[in-house]
Amino acid sequence: SPLNFHYKISVMRRCFAVLALFLAGVVVAMPATDSNLGHRSLLATGECTPQAVASLLYTLFSSLGNDCNAYAALFAEGGQYYHQHDGYKTASQLLANCQGYAGFCPPGACKFRQNGPPSLVSLSDGSCSMLVPYIWSEIPANNKVPNNLEPHTGWEYIIATPDLSAAHGFLINLFAEIETSYSVPYDWNHPASTLNYDWVLALLNKTASQGECNTPIAPLITNFYSNVTDHRVQVQQGPAVLLAAGSICHVSVPYAAEVAGVLKTGHTIFSLAPQDGGYAITTAINFPSPPDEPECNSAPRGPCSADVTALLDTLFYSNGNACNTYGMLFSSDVRYYYQGGGGFFGLPQMVADCQAYQDWLAGYTFLFQQNGRPFLRESKGSCEMLVPFIWSEIPANTLFADPYTGFKFIRATPNPASSYGYTISWETEMDTVNSVAYNWEYPSNIS
């Protein structure tokens, strides 16, 4: 069908992009998996699925600046459009807006691409809300506009209504582009802190912002997550990202959550109306991290050719559960770096630390699991991996910022004699709680 065709094309385009980066020696990966948080699952409804929205999204990205009639036809008659540089527009203005973009970005001058699978949530009125990652840049980057933070990424927050008379089965009622350039510095130790909020305001003041996000948003987000219900704990996992336009402050916030013993990640999208020196929450939608896309048809070669699944499954399970098995995963000269505990370990200390960890967890329940496909790269005969994870006590202990996410950097050598296919010679665990605040306007700023 046309819908399946566009879905397959969108997957193939990203597969070819992944293959090109892999062959160039660049680390690549697919997104994390997750299930829904606080919302009905869409993948079972047959109404709001990746396949059903693929044609709409394919045309949205491909038609901007190239076929403005097709682009404008994607929007419902009363459709609303929010953009940090274009400001607020209604559907009747989008044809001219697209034509203006074409003047700045004629064919070949810019690239605007979907940058991963969408996260989908069905709303009670039957509409389909989407959070779609994107990447955009002039070619070459910053060509006409120097220091324009190119290439940049972000999310397209879309609400669309099913319409069988529409060319792609949906019409867009709301479109809001949330660009990561407008991120809010996040203090992991004091989540409600408003320190350095002026960094993002300095950038917003150079755009179409009319002050919609001028009031710091950290206290509102912290209060919101502190008061979630339904036996779940939800914790912010990094900088919030702002879109200030059209009298609304749209905010994207990454989260990790423990819900009745299940760990989840995703983004909350807030629509905030400025009110009395603060905000009123118009909507707050939890978008779960989307399922992995189908595998590309190109298998890794060389040191990464063996499947890493058994190695990683055993690594996450055995630490604190089966310490003898845990020790068998590593070479005798392994180097292990961890922020807590002793910091740097060799193999004997690692096994002892595993046992101490197991003793510490006695009487507790915890989950330590992989949180998405690993990034893989060949390097000097080894397979290097960057593996996303999520950890939490069950139930989550908010005093320790549970649940929290991070990455394991692993260097492993193929070992056919091992049941796991590899032997690990290097492991570094990096927790996102140890993140550094980033100033997008002045990246070298250390104040």
Side-chain angles (χ1 to χ4, degrees):
S1 70
L3 293 181
N4 282 330
F5 170 77
H6 284 296
Y7 175 69
K8 291 175 181 176
I9 288 294
S10 67
V11 171
M12 289 174 62
R13 286 174 61 181
R14 288 194 287 279
C15 281
F16 285 133
V18 168
L19 176 60
L21 290 170
F22 181 82
L23 293 176
V26 178
V27 176
V28 295
M30 289 297 190
T33 58
D34 193 13
S35 56
N36 213 328
L37 174 63
H39 294 280
R40 176 167 63 95
S41 172
L42 296 179
L43 299 182
T45 67
E47 299 170 356
C48 187
T49 66
Q51 292 88 346
V53 302
S55 178
L56 176 77
L57 297 180
Y58 178 86
T59 305
L60 176 71
F61 284 95
S62 63
S63 64
L64 180 62
N66 294 304
D67 186 345
C68 289
N69 287 323
Y71 178 82
L74 299 175
F75 292 81
E77 184 175 347
Q80 297 179 303
Y81 172 97
Y82 299 85
H83 192 282
Q84 200 55 68
H85 303 287
D86 299 340
Y88 172 75
K89 299 283 190 296
T90 60
S92 62
Q93 299 170 289
L94 293 181
L95 176 60
N97 196 60
C98 176
Q99 291 167 342
Y101 176 84
F104 175 77
C105 280
C110 301
K111 285 193 175 180
F112 180 41
R113 297 285 186 267
Q114 187 175 339
N115 196 36
S119 178
L120 306 174
V121 171
S122 182
L123 302 181
S124 58
D125 63 358
S127 58
C128 179
S129 60
M130 316 173 202
L131 193 63
V132 188
Y134 77 86
I135 185 169
W136 181 92
S137 184
E138 296 180 74
I139 305 297
N142 304 296
N143 184 34
K144 294 182 181 178
V145 186
N147 304 313
N148 196 37
L149 304 178
E150 299 174 21
H152 63 247
T153 58
W155 296 270
E156 310 296 6
Y157 168 47
I158 298 168
I159 297 178
T161 301
D163 188 327
L164 295 179
S165 67
H168 306 286
F170 292 87
L171 288 176
I172 297 173
N173 299 305
L174 183 146
F175 174 95
E177 183 168 297
I178 305 173
E179 180 184 326
T180 50
S181 306
Y182 306 100
S183 297
V184 179
Y186 179 62
D187 186 336
W188 285 83
N189 201 34
H190 304 286
S193 172
T194 61
L195 185 66
N196 295 325
Y197 195 72
D198 57 318
W199 290 1
V200 68
L201 290 185
L203 277 175
L204 288 175
N205 288 338
K206 299 177 180 180
T207 69
S209 169
Q210 298 296 314
E212 291 88 347
C213 299
N214 277 10
T215 301
I217 47 84
L220 178 144
I221 296 170
T222 303
N223 181 67
F224 180 87
Y225 284 155
S226 297
N227 289 283
V228 295
T229 56
D230 300 329
H231 307 289
R232 71 177 184 261
V233 175
Q234 197 163 342
V235 181
Q236 186 171 347
Q237 287 297 293
V241 184
L242 306 181
L243 165 60
S247 301
I248 297 292
C249 182
H250 287 100
V251 186
S252 174
V253 186
Y255 69 76
E258 182 261 312
V259 186
V262 178
L263 302 184
K264 305 169 181 287
T265 58
H267 287 81
T268 306
I269 300 297
F270 293 91
S271 296
L272 307 177
Q275 177 179 293
D276 300 327
Y279 299 101
I281 299 177
T282 303
T283 59
I285 302 176
N286 287 319
F287 284 93
S289 298
D292 286 332
E293 291 184 320
E295 292 277 6
C296 300
N297 290 326
S298 56
R301 296 176 296 175
C304 295
S305 59
D307 190 357
V308 300
T309 303
L311 176 75
L312 297 179
D313 285 351
T314 306
L315 177 67
F316 282 97
Y317 167 76
S318 62
N319 191 9
N321 286 305
C323 293
N324 289 333
T325 300
Y326 178 75
M328 293 171 60
L329 300 176
F330 302 92
S331 65
S332 59
D333 59 348
V334 63
R335 301 175 68 86
Y336 176 83
Y337 299 85
Y338 172 59
Q339 196 60 56
F344 168 72
F345 295 150
L347 182 59
Q349 297 162 295
M350 290 176 66
V351 175
D353 185 66
C354 176
Q355 187 61 57
Y357 181 51
Q358 184 171 332
D359 294 342
W360 178 73
L361 290 168
Y364 294 90
T365 302
F366 75 99
L367 285 177
F368 183 35
Q369 61 194 44
Q370 190 174 334
N371 194 38
R373 289 183 186 163
F375 299 64
L376 302 179
R377 191 185 78 151
E378 303 171 26
S379 178
K380 299 179 181 178
S382 296
C383 182
E384 294 183 339
M385 314 173 199
L386 190 64
V387 188
F389 73 81
I390 185 169
W391 188 96
S392 184
E393 289 185 59
I394 305 297
N397 184 343
T398 55
L399 294 177
F400 290 97
D402 296 350
Y404 65 84
T405 58
F407 297 90
K408 283 184 174 291
F409 170 69
I410 295 169
R411 182 177 294 132
T413 303
N415 182 0
S418 169
S419 301
Y420 314 106
Y422 293 90
T423 299
I424 299 173
S425 60
W426 186 298
E427 180 182 342
T428 302
E429 182 170 307
M430 295 166 281
D431 302 340
T432 50
V433 295
N434 302 311
S435 298
V436 178
Y438 181 65
N439 187 328
W440 286 80
E441 185 175 22
Y442 301 107
S444 59
N445 190 335
I446 60 173
S447 63

